[in-house]
């Protein structure tokens, strides 16, 4: 069946037929703007050799656009009430596969190997459930999965943070993590009226292009990110105070490392550049 999945009447009758009601806890805000999903799918630049992992298919509005352009699309969806809906709306696409489960709990490495062995590259595309935006992005990055691009819809404020330049006020721990693995850019903004139900905030689509070779090297990435989170944990405090109170590093040692980098003892995390973070970490551990 060829449904118009942006048409409110169509959506309502489809959802009614399957007895579905929206769950706020699962971050369910379905896209109803006719232009957004084709634009997202287009900007992913997928071809018949591209595999796409979607997170949270909903009723398949974005999935459908991805299926039209990519070689294979696997969509992870947690809410089992949507499975019969998806088999109805995407039944015509034989390059679509539903993966039942929680994106945070699946073995993604094994999943990608199993599903996309015949693809040249794998990209992630999603209108993310907002309650897990940062955890999902961090999971995708830190797991070092064989993916080349992550294009996701997130809250506008989250987009600004994720794409912030390091060493500016907008930057946070998550921006440093993104910069460590790739380059993030904001593609376009999407107003709250483009969703059903309409959320209280506006959104934006961002794209993270992952470096094929690591650009920075640290001895222990997990420990590096713990260090970064501690640096930004109390944004108003100086870096010396944040790091010493969160990680128990003596203040004198931190001041010494800052001095080594030509930085003043009163700098805050938002004043530090990516290269300086990497070197400070090296000096302190
Ligand atoms: N892509 C659809 C739906 C977006 S709403 C659209 O744009 O219209 C977010 C979707 O993510 C919902 O379908 C929700 O059920 C699903 N979801 C929420 N938490 C999830 C999780 N942990 N793992 C996988 N899917 C999840």
């Amino acid at each position: 069946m060829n449904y118009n999945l942006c048409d409110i009447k169509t959506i309502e009758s489809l959802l009614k037929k399957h007895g579905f009601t929206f769950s706020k806890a699962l971050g369910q805000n379905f896209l109803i703007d006719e232009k957004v999903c084709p634009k997202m799918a287009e900007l992913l630049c997928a071809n018949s050799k591209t595999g796409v992992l979607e997170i949270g298919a909903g009723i398949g509005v974005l999935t459908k656009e991805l299926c039209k352009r990519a070689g294979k699309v696997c969509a992870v969806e947690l809410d089992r009430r949507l499975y019969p809906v998806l088999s109805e709306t995407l039944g015509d696409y034989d390059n679509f596969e539903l993966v039942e489960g929680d994106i945070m709990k699946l073995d993604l490495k094994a999943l990608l190997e199993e599903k996309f062995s015949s693809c040249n590259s794998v990209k992630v595309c999603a209108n993310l459930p907002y309650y897990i935006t940062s955890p999902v992005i961090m999971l995708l990055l830190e797991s070092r999965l064989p993916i080349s691009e992550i294009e996701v819809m997130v809250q506008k404020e989250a987009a600004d943070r994720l794409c912030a330049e390091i060493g500016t006020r907008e930057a946070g721990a998550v921006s440093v993590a993104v910069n460590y693995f790739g380059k993030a850019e904001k593609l376009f903004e999407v107003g709250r009226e483009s969703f059903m139900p309409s959320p209280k905030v506006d959104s934006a689509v961002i794209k993270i292009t992952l470096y094929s070779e690591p650009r920075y090297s640290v001895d222990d990435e997990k420990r590096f990110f713990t260090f970064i989170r501690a640096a930004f944990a109390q944004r108003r405090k100086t870096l010396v105070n944040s790091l010493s109170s969160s990680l128990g590093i003596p203040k004198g040692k931190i001041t010494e490392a800052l001095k080594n980098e030509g930085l003043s003892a009163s700098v805050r995390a938002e004043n530090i550049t990516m290269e300086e973070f990497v070197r400070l970490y090296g000096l302190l551990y």
Side-chain angles (χ1 to χ4, degrees), residues 3-277:
Y3 291 105
N4 175 357
L5 297 176
C6 291
D7 177 62
I8 295 182
K9 288 248 153 21
T10 307
I11 301 172
E12 279 171 351
S13 79
L14 197 59
L15 296 183
K16 195 170 165 206
K17 180 173 153 194
H18 291 278
F20 177 88
T21 48
F22 287 93
S23 154
K24 219 174 172 176
L26 285 180
Q28 291 174 337
N29 298 99
F30 296 168
L31 271 162
I32 49 165
D33 185 315
E34 308 240 356
K35 295 197 199 83
V36 175
C37 294
K39 195 168 171 185
M40 279 183 80
E42 211 45 52
L43 289 167
L44 197 68
C45 302
N47 60 41
S48 62
K49 285 280 173 201
T50 315
V52 181
L53 177 73
E54 193 195 1
I55 299 157
I59 58 169
V61 63
L62 174 61
T63 326
K64 194 172 160 179
E65 297 303 324
L66 296 168
C67 285
K68 287 184 200 166
R69 294 164 176 87
K72 179 157 186 190
V73 179
C74 287
V76 178
E77 175 54 60
L78 176 59
D79 191 342
R80 48 181 56 251
R81 297 173 307 157
L82 291 166
Y83 302 165
V85 183
L86 287 164
S87 66
E88 188 169 336
T89 57
L90 299 171
D92 291 346
Y93 294 93
D94 45 15
N95 59 345
F96 166 70
E97 197 175 321
L98 172 68
V99 178
E100 304 181 356
D102 184 335
I103 187 69
M104 299 303 293
K105 296 189 182 143
L106 291 168
D107 180 346
L108 293 178
K109 219 166 212 146
L111 182 81
L112 298 191
E113 251 168 52
E114 183 197 329
K115 307 290 181 194
F116 298 118
S117 56
S118 62
C119 299
N120 279 351
S121 67
V122 180
K123 300 181 176 190
V124 172
C125 191
N127 169 17
L128 281 184
Y130 292 167
Y131 76 105
I132 43 168
T133 299
S134 291
V136 167
I137 294 177
M138 289 310 296
L139 177 73
L140 294 171
L141 294 172
E142 287 182 11
S143 315
R144 289 239 179 250
L145 300 167
I147 49 180
S148 58
E149 249 175 61
I150 302 173
E151 187 199 353
V152 285
M153 173 94 68
V154 299
Q155 281 186 19
K156 200 164 148 253
E157 290 68 24
D160 291 336
R161 175 134 299 176
L162 286 159
C163 300
E165 198 181 321
I166 313 306
T168 66
R169 282 197 79 150
E170 290 72 38
V174 74
S175 351
V176 174
V178 167
N179 265 269
Y180 182 85
F181 294 105
K183 180 96 201 83
E185 60 184 317
K186 192 160 144 182
L187 297 180
F188 61 97
E189 294 188 351
V190 179
R192 62 196 75 183
E193 68 288 348
S194 296
F195 300 87
M196 172 181 169
S198 175
K200 288 198 180 70
V201 291
D202 295 317
S203 299
V205 176
I206 64 158
K207 175 143 110 180
I208 305 170
T209 308
L210 299 181
Y211 300 133
S212 46
E213 296 295 325
R215 180 159 294 200
Y216 304 99
S217 99
V218 295
D219 63 344
D220 180 342
E221 284 175 359
K222 227 173 148 188
R223 194 163 64 166
F224 176 68
F225 292 121
T226 303
F227 165 75
I228 296 297
R229 274 189 289 272
F232 283 98
Q234 294 144 299
R235 302 179 63 86
R236 292 168 163 266
K237 285 197 181 178
T238 63
L239 192 68
V240 175
N241 283 334
S242 286
L243 291 178
S244 66
S245 71
S246 309
L247 300 174
I249 306 174
K251 287 188 181 179
K253 192 174 174 188
I254 305 168
T255 314
E256 190 62 29
L258 288 173
K259 208 167 143 196
N260 233 296
E261 279 299 306
L263 293 165
S264 117
S266 61
V267 287
R268 290 158 202 241
E270 64 188 38
N271 308 120
I272 314 281
T273 66
M274 193 67 205
E275 287 73 17
E276 285 165 347
F277 270 126

